[in-house]
Amino acid sequence: MGSAKRAAYLVTGIFMLLASLLMMVSMGEAYRLVLLCLELALLIRGIRMIIYYFMLARHMVGGILILYEGIVVLDAALFAMNMDNLPRQYAMLYLIVILMVSGIIDVLRGNEARKMESGHWRYQLFLGIAESGMGVLCLFFLDSALLVTMIYAVGLLYSAISRIVTAFRKTAIVYIE
């Protein structure tokens, strides 16, 4: 990982850390902050994927899938931006679905890492099961915006710490002679 990417990971991790701490401190109004974080994250990711497609991925085999994924993510961001006037349960369902899909993807990645005999597959599998379990738990407490906000803040805190640690971790370089 280059120094620019390390700096970007560090800055992103610090912003995510501050946002999660702000959510934990202001639990009463954190619902709006959760929606704002979700909207911005999806919007930035969608725009980055579309720019990446036009800069590089259009020349790759299967690169059109990156354009499609970018359009879907951008559409999800625009949909989330229109959820301010809807009841909180709809936004909570949206957050829960994103959490559960992320958990399922982590379980699949952990299973793939296990098949490739990687050393980190247990952690990834555990993380995916925990995320999916939190999503199911949130479904039972759908009316409690406080609980869902707290779960989102803890997940954001974990992601922030993970990004900061990744920014300082030494990466292995493979040399082919």
Side-chain angles (χ1 to χ4, degrees):
M1 182 183 310
S3 60
K5 193 166 187 176
R6 285 184 193 275
Y9 263 61
L10 182 64
V11 169
T12 304
I14 290 171
F15 278 129
M16 289 170 65
L17 182 68
L18 292 175
S20 68
L21 293 176
L22 183 64
M23 282 181 207
M24 289 180 187
V25 169
S26 64
M27 278 305 207
E29 292 298 317
Y31 168 75
R32 299 274 183 212
L33 189 58
V34 168
L35 276 180
L36 181 67
C37 285
L38 178 68
E39 293 164 359
L40 287 177
L42 289 173
L43 185 67
I44 290 170
R45 182 171 170 102
I47 291 172
R48 283 183 63 204
M49 290 178 80
I50 291 172
I51 289 172
Y52 176 70
Y53 169 75
F54 285 111
M55 298 297 270
L56 183 68
R58 66 182 170 156
H59 303 293
M60 295 171 22
V61 174
I64 193 74
L65 294 176
I66 293 173
L67 176 65
Y68 294 154
E69 187 177 347
I71 290 171
V72 168
V73 170
L74 189 62
D75 188 39
L78 295 175
F79 177 71
M81 287 180 183
N82 291 323
M83 292 179 69
D84 291 340
N85 299 330
L86 294 176
R88 285 186 178 186
Q89 285 81 9
Y90 293 123
M92 295 301 162
L93 279 174
Y94 195 64
L95 287 173
I96 291 167
V97 166
I98 289 174
L99 183 67
M100 291 178 76
V101 167
S102 174
I104 290 169
I105 289 172
D106 283 342
V107 167
L108 293 174
R109 283 184 181 160
N111 192 27
E112 182 180 347
R114 181 185 56 83
K115 287 179 182 176
M116 297 178 78
E117 298 175 4
S118 176
H120 301 286
W121 70 271
R122 287 184 183 94
Y123 174 71
Q124 189 126 22
L125 188 67
F126 171 75
L127 183 65
I129 291 171
E131 283 181 358
S132 298
M134 282 192 299
V136 170
L137 185 66
C138 287
L139 280 175
F140 290 117
F141 298 105
L142 189 61
D143 292 331
S144 174
L146 182 69
L147 179 70
V148 175
T149 302
M150 188 62 163
I151 289 173
Y152 187 78
V154 168
L156 193 62
L157 180 69
Y158 170 77
S159 295
I161 292 171
S162 175
R163 277 189 177 264
I164 292 171
V165 167
T166 302
F168 290 112
R169 182 182 300 155
K170 289 187 177 187
T171 54
I173 299 174
V174 177
Y175 293 104
I176 300 174
E177 295 184 27

